[in-house]
């Protein structure tokens, strides 16, 4: 039987969006504070750091306070805080004078890029993980081999061996069942990438009732002064997001403990009670702005912004120069046909299933009766006794840890808990850096 020596990392992170970026920072600060040498590398399939670049629309702002950045709630003195970023950029006073808790999305993305830059030596960009293989020693899985394909076109695969894995592969855009994206049917995630090739459209249809749908509608309406923009959604009107002070407690670090320990029926109730903090809701200021535009066009007698509420898209067909959308008004069943240049689906995202990525390694993971993996309080997937490695997930834990799981609100605290868990599970610091598979 062949033997192969591999360098063994203490941690391999899959994905390098905000969650694993925050984890890399927490690891660096932990090592500096304790003298530990937790060895980590992060694998990111994008060629460079980027976070929802297709939706970095002008005039859009974050929906979370800048104090809930990558570090502040865990370590307010961190050099990676948003305030440190402002100081470094020479905009601290200007931001204070701006009198806002919510920076623009473009500025926050710039902050994330700024924070990621000093960590470039720990990240392998252009690296797509294609498999995770268990490595057994005397019948126990002691290591995981993470198989990587580089985006440089080479066919050769490389392998990273690790004692711990952190999956933070981000969110997947969702299209309605039966809808397939193409050059005329987009998900909002692709908006800014696709718009340059659109020219001057005659009509655009936007499907969805959440924040992204409202932002896309406002952006297209403002960008193309002669284009008819049709917003299609099943509600009678956009629902305001509940960002009131008491409701926001559902995102507190303590609320994660409460949710994790609660019975399943209580978890379901909490999700139902507070869905309006995050799902299919829109900032009231944006709702008012869209209504203002819609009303003023009625006054002028030329309606470019059409709000097709209480309606649903029932059919899409190719047209001679674009796409044909059939929209049904739900109260009466009346249908209207819209010939459009493009349809933009702002229909949300979902976390990727970690079991899909894990492949054969997933056989060691415990699953809940209703589906999904069982995740411990420290964000580690519960596994069989034959698995010694820690497999952690960031993002795909709403069923166990609550509404904050896919949001920035608790990221700084979460990564601190993961670092503590990893550090406690590692062998002593004199551990051998190499291991032999057999």
């Amino acid at each position: 039987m062949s033997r192969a020596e591999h360098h063994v990392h203490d941690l391999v992170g899959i994905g390098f969006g905000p969650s694993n970026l925050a984890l890399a920072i927490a690891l660096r600060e932990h090592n500096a504070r304790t003298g530990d040498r937790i060895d980590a590398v992060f694998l990111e399939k994008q060629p460079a750091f980027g976070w929802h670049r297709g939706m970095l629309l002008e005039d859009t702002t974050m929906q979370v306070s800048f104090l809930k950045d990558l570090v502040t709630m865990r370590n307010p003195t961190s050099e990676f805080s948003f305030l440190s970023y402002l100081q470094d950029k020479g905009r601290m006073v200007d931001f204070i004078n701006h009198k806002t808790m919510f920076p623009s999305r473009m500025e926050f993305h710039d902050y994330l890029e700024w924070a990621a830059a000093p960590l470039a030596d720990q990240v392998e960009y252009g690296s797509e993980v294609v498999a995770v293989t268990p490595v057994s020693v005397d019948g126990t899985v002691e290591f995981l081999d993470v198989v990587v394909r580089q985006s440089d076109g080479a066919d050769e695969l490389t392998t990273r061996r690790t004692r711990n894995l952190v999956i933070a592969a981000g969110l997947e855009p969702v299209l309605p069942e039966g809808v397939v994206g193409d050059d005329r049917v987009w998900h909002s995630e692709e908006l800014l990438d696709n718009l340059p090739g659109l020219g001057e459209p005659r009509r655009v249809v936007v499907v969805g009732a959440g924040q992204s749908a409202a932002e896309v509608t406002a952006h297209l309406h403002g960008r193309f002064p002669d284009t008819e923009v049709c917003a299609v959604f099943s509600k009678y009107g956009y629902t305001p997001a509940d960002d009131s002070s008491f409701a926001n407690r559902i995102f507190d670090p303590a609320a994660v403990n409460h949710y994790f320990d609660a019975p399943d029926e209580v978890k379901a109730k909490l999700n139902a009670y507070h869905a309006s903090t995050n799902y299919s809701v829109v900032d009231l200021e944006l709702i008012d702005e869209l209504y203002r535009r819609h009303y003023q066009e009625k006054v002028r007698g030329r309606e470019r912004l059409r709000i097709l509420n209480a309606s649903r898209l029932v059919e899409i067909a190719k047209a001679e120069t674009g796409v044909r959308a059939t929209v049904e008004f739900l109260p009466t069943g009346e249908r209207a046909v819209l010939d459009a240049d493009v349809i933009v689906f702002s229909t949300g995202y979902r976390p990727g299933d970690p079991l899909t990525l894990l492949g054969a390694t997933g056989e060691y993971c415990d699953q809940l009766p209703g589906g999904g993996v069982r995740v411990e309080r420290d964000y580690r997937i519960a596994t069989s006794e034959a698995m010694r490695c820690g497999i952690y997930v960031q993002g795909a834990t709403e069923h166990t840890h609550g509404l904050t799981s896919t949001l920035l609100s608790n990221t700084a605290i979460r990564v601190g808990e993961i670092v503590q868990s990893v550090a406690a599970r590692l062998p002593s610091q004199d551990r051998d850096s190499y291991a032999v598979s057999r």
Side-chain angles (χ1 to χ4, degrees):
M1 184 175 294
S2 64
R3 293 170 175 263
E5 269 193 336
H6 299 268
H7 176 77
V8 179
H9 297 281
D10 295 321
L11 185 152
V12 167
I14 300 177
F16 200 66
S19 291
N20 268 353
L21 168 56
L23 177 62
I25 294 170
L27 283 167
R28 174 173 290 200
E29 294 180 346
H30 170 86
N31 288 349
R33 185 179 69 255
T34 65
D36 283 353
R37 293 181 292 107
I38 298 178
D39 170 26
V41 64
F42 296 87
L43 307 169
E44 170 56 52
K45 66 181 179 180
Q46 294 187 102
F49 183 88
W51 183 55
H52 296 302
R53 287 184 179 275
M55 279 293 289
L56 292 179
L57 305 177
E58 292 183 12
D59 300 325
T60 57
T61 59
M62 297 295 293
Q63 294 175 282
V64 63
S65 165
F66 71 86
L67 293 173
K68 293 184 175 182
D69 58 18
L70 299 170
V71 294
T72 296
M73 292 187 68
R74 175 182 56 80
N75 177 16
T77 64
S78 173
E79 63 180 307
F80 288 91
S81 70
F82 185 78
L83 291 178
S84 295
Y85 156 79
L86 290 174
Q87 182 72 7
D88 185 59
K89 294 291 186 178
R91 293 202 305 271
M92 176 76 80
V93 173
D94 297 317
F95 186 84
I96 292 172
N97 290 338
H98 194 28
K99 297 181 181 180
T100 182
M101 297 291 287
F102 307 100
S104 72
R105 198 172 294 163
M106 293 181 68
E107 182 176 31
F108 199 82
H109 191 277
D110 190 58
Y111 156 66
L112 296 174
E113 289 183 297
W114 171 87
L119 301 163
D121 61 335
Q122 289 184 258
V123 188
E124 295 183 5
Y125 291 106
S127 299
E128 181 183 6
V129 174
V130 296
V132 178
T133 305
V135 179
S136 295
V137 178
D138 297 329
T140 301
V141 180
E142 296 283 355
F143 311 105
L144 298 172
D145 276 353
V146 183
V147 183
V148 182
R149 178 188 294 118
Q150 306 299 325
S151 62
D152 57 10
D155 293 332
E156 185 178 355
L157 300 177
T158 58
T159 299
R160 291 289 193 170
R161 179 161 293 181
T162 184
R163 296 179 175 90
N164 294 280
L165 187 70
V166 181
I167 302 173
L171 302 174
E172 301 171 350
V174 174
L175 291 172
E177 185 176 356
V179 175
V180 178
D182 58 28
D183 60 337
R184 297 291 180 176
V185 177
W186 308 343
H187 189 277
S188 56
E189 174 79 359
E190 311 166 286
L191 186 72
L192 291 184
D193 296 327
N194 290 347
L195 275 183
L198 187 58
E200 293 292 331
R202 183 177 62 86
R203 176 185 287 141
V204 175
V205 175
V206 181
V207 180
Q211 181 72 21
S212 293
E215 289 175 352
V216 169
T217 298
H219 180 77
L220 294 173
H221 183 262
R223 176 164 176 160
F224 301 112
D226 295 318
T227 298
E228 180 182 285
V229 180
C230 300
V232 179
F233 50 85
S234 297
K235 296 181 178 182
Y236 222 83
Y238 294 111
T239 300
D242 185 356
D243 61 352
S244 57
S245 302
F246 286 115
N248 273 341
R249 286 181 169 178
I250 195 66
F251 303 122
D252 288 356
V256 177
N257 291 328
H258 300 154
Y259 189 94
F260 185 84
D261 293 331
D264 288 344
E265 60 269 22
V266 175
K267 286 183 170 72
K269 286 181 180 179
L270 289 173
N271 284 343
Y273 291 153
H274 295 289
S276 61
T277 60
N278 184 47
Y279 290 111
S280 196
V281 290
V282 183
D283 286 343
L284 183 57
E285 183 179 353
L286 180 54
I287 296 175
D288 289 341
E289 169 61 18
L290 286 172
Y291 191 88
R292 183 194 66 78
R293 297 188 196 183
H294 182 57
Y295 181 76
Q296 289 302 322
E297 288 184 351
K298 280 192 170 184
V299 171
R300 291 193 295 267
R302 178 177 177 244
E303 294 183 43
R304 281 197 309 114
L305 178 56
R306 295 179 59 189
I307 306 298
L308 305 180
N309 58 344
S311 300
R312 63 172 181 166
L313 187 64
V314 295
E315 187 178 350
I316 300 173
K318 290 288 186 182
E320 193 170 317
T321 58
V323 61
R324 176 164 294 172
T326 302
V327 177
E328 180 181 82
F329 184 55
L330 295 174
T332 64
E334 182 181 356
R335 295 189 173 190
V337 175
L338 302 173
D339 286 325
D341 294 81
V342 68
I343 301 175
V344 182
F345 283 91
S346 296
T347 42
Y349 303 81
R350 61 173 166 241
D353 183 356
L355 291 177
T356 302
L357 185 62
L358 290 172
T361 304
E363 297 175 7
Y364 296 89
C365 299
D366 293 350
Q367 296 189 49
L368 297 169
V373 291
R374 188 184 304 278
V375 184
E376 306 289 359
R377 177 59 186 84
D378 61 358
Y379 300 93
R380 182 172 53 89
I381 295 177
T383 58
S384 66
E385 293 183 359
M387 170 67 70
R388 292 282 299 276
C389 303
I391 304 173
Y392 298 80
V393 288
Q394 296 205 70
T397 60
E398 187 172 295
H399 62 298
T400 54
H401 290 68
L403 289 171
T404 190
S405 296
T406 60
L407 308 176
L408 285 169
S409 298
N410 202 46
T411 299
I413 300 295
R414 179 175 67 233
V415 297
E417 293 172 347
I418 292 174
V419 170
Q420 289 178 3
S421 176
V422 169
R425 290 170 52 83
L426 285 174
S428 61
Q429 285 295 305
D430 62 354
R431 58 189 177 270
D432 187 5
S433 292
Y434 292 85
V436 178
S437 63
R438 56 184 173 181

